[in-house]
Amino acid sequence: MEYVVIGGLSVDHVVNAGGERMSSQFGGNAAYGSAGLRLWTGPGRIGIVARMGEDYPREWIRKIQEAGIDIQGVRTVPGPHGLVGGFVYNSRGDRPDYIDLDESGEGYVPQDPREVMRVQRAFGPDSGDIPAAWGEAKAIFLAPRLLEKQLDCARFFRRAGEGKRIVLDPMAFYMTMDRKAELRELFSTVDAVMPSETEMRALFGDLPPEEAARRLGELGAGIVVIKLGREGCLVYQRDNGPALRLPVCPVEARDPTGAGDSFCGGFLAGLAATGDPVLAAAWGTVSSSFVISGFGVDYTYPVTQGEARKRLSAFLTRCSQTIPELRERLHRAAPLLPPEYKTESEVFLQC
């Protein structure tokens, strides 16, 4: 297995900014992360590690398989599925975290934090869920879960061999300065830390993203990518100059659920292909643009790698007009790209 995504499978109830309601939708950060990743790689190269309850829809698991993603790492745990939640978006695409349907099934209420923690402990996978042979994976996405579970999985892959790319999406629950020592150990064990604005505010308050990224670097993060919603993303390398911003890929957003997870999956593919975190962020931006165009994880499954590469080429060409550094970065990365990327990269370099 080349790529492994570790996280959750969920049942989502969504109300988008336009008032469209979708109940009992296929979701979860592991599912969305693998969906963003599969846009760039062939079948049989991605494995997903997650836990599901006895009543989790098996049709959704079959869809993951049919999309070419290996499910050997998906384990059934006793009882009903616990990762069930609601997402109600405002006009900016923002949402409150950890809400659920009320008793009527029409409104939404905050989830009890103690219940959130119980569910995370029960349904967040750890290294014991990872098939032993998958230790050979070259690139790993650790989707949001409890800190100790993410650190456990990161250590598993570090022990399994050198040369791996590990990217981490942290969870706001543990982003507090009273856990500074644990954060430093976790961030130092992975290659890239990829928080959203929510996680940054939880840790640093209202610091500008550039300063927040620098502070994460001081906590051990070598690469920091802050997801800024409609404002795109910020990429910071601790040992390589100032931060750089990329815009979003312009599409009509119907459902922002999974945008960050699919961004991380695409970023992982780009980092494995180029070794360049700025270019990898372009891969991630394109992945999320496909996901937010419809409802549910499986909306992206019909999208081909050719369509993704074509959109990537157009995105890089447009961005290079205001970020000339992108052209230089792609020049350096071009010899590393797999053959299927050559046409798109050559078109971009000639623009």
Side-chain angles (χ1 to χ4, degrees), residues 36 39 49 71 92 103 160 165 197 210-211 213 275 329:
L39 292 172
V49 180
I71 62 164
R92 291 189 67 251
E103 292 182 359
R165 307 276 192 176
E197 291 178 286
E210 287 80 1
E211 176 62 16
R329 286 175 175 269

Side-chain angles (χ1 to χ4, degrees), residues 168-340:
L168 167 82
D169 191 347
M171 193 176 187
F173 262 32
Y174 65 68
M175 293 287 274
T176 60
M177 290 307 292
D178 61 355
R179 303 190 72 176
K180 184 176 179 179
E182 295 168 276
L183 292 175
R184 185 181 300 279
E185 182 178 7
L186 177 60
F187 296 164
S188 300
T189 307
V190 302
D191 295 280
V193 180
M194 306 183 64
S196 68
E197 291 178 286
T198 300
E199 285 93 45
M200 285 293 83
R201 283 195 295 269
L203 189 59
F204 298 127
D206 291 325
L207 279 182
E210 287 80 1
E211 176 62 16
R214 188 186 66 79
R215 296 272 191 96
L216 277 184
E218 292 175 350
L219 282 174
I223 299 169
V224 178
V225 183
I226 302 179
K227 295 165 288 183
L228 300 171
R230 289 186 174 185
E231 302 302 315
C233 68
L234 178 141
V235 184
Y236 170 78
Q237 293 173 266
R238 186 179 59 210
D239 302 322
N240 192 21
L244 189 148
R245 289 185 182 236
L246 287 184
V248 297
C249 192
V251 296
E252 180 182 356
R254 292 192 65 200
D255 178 13
T257 309
D261 306 313
S262 59
F263 177 95
C264 291
F267 178 91
L268 182 63
L271 192 64
T274 69
D276 186 309
V278 174
L279 293 178
W283 264 247
T285 298
V286 170
S287 284
S288 63
S289 75
F290 282 107
V291 164
I292 66 176
S293 297
F295 287 91
V297 173
D298 47 336
Y299 176 81
T300 66
Y301 286 166
V303 178
T304 67
Q305 294 178 56
E307 290 174 289
R309 293 196 300 270
K310 182 177 179 181
R311 185 174 292 186
L312 173 66
S313 181
F315 179 70
L316 287 170
T317 300
R318 181 172 63 88
C319 289
S320 70
Q321 297 171 9
T322 54
I323 312 173
E325 184 180 337
L326 280 179
R327 188 180 304 278
E328 179 184 342
R329 286 175 175 269
L330 193 59
H331 267 292
R332 292 198 300 265
L336 304 175
L337 291 173
E340 61 266 25

